[in-house]
Amino acid sequence: MCRNIRTLFNFEPPATEVEIRDAALQFVRKLSGFNVPSQANQEAFDRAVAAIAAEARTLIASLVTTAEPKNREVEAARARARSMQRFGPGG
C-alpha cells in the first residue's frame, strides 16, 4: 500500500475532488514506477489517473457505515502523535 494514500471515506467534511485525484495519482505513480511519465507515456498515465479517480468516487459514494464521520483535525493530530512516537521529535 502506498503510504501517502490516505483513507478518504467517512470524513466530515467529505473527501474533495482534489484529494481523490491526488490519491489516484499516487496509486498510478506507484504502479507505473514513474513520478513523471515521459511524453510517450503521458496520455496513458493521465487516462489511468482519471479512470482510477472516477472509480474511487464511485466507491466512496457507494460505501455505507453506521459509524460517526471522522474529524480531519483529530485524525491528523493522531497521525502526528504516531509519527512522533515512531520517529521522535526531529523525524
Side-chain angles (χ1 to χ4, degrees):
M1 177 82 177
C2 297
R3 291 185 184 152
N4 293 337
I5 297 177
R6 295 187 171 46
T7 301
L8 299 177
F9 174 63
N10 198 29
F11 276 96
E12 191 56 47
T16 65
E17 287 297 314
V18 171
E19 289 173 313
I20 292 170
R21 188 198 174 281
D22 287 349
L25 177 62
Q26 280 300 114
F27 184 72
V28 172
R29 283 177 173 168
K30 186 69 167 187
L31 287 178
S32 69
F34 299 131
N35 191 30
V36 178
S38 65
Q39 283 185 331
N41 293 317
Q42 186 69 52
E43 185 179 335
F45 191 89
D46 292 342
R47 198 171 42 248
V49 170
I52 291 169
E55 289 301 321
R57 267 185 239 100
T58 301
L59 173 65
I60 292 168
S62 300
L63 295 173
V64 294
T65 185
T66 57
E68 290 291 317
K70 299 175 209 162
N71 181 293
R72 291 180 186 282
E73 289 77 29
V74 169
E75 294 301 316
R78 287 180 184 161
R80 283 191 297 275
R82 284 191 305 269
S83 179
M84 179 76 85
Q85 186 176 21
R86 184 172 179 192
F87 299 113

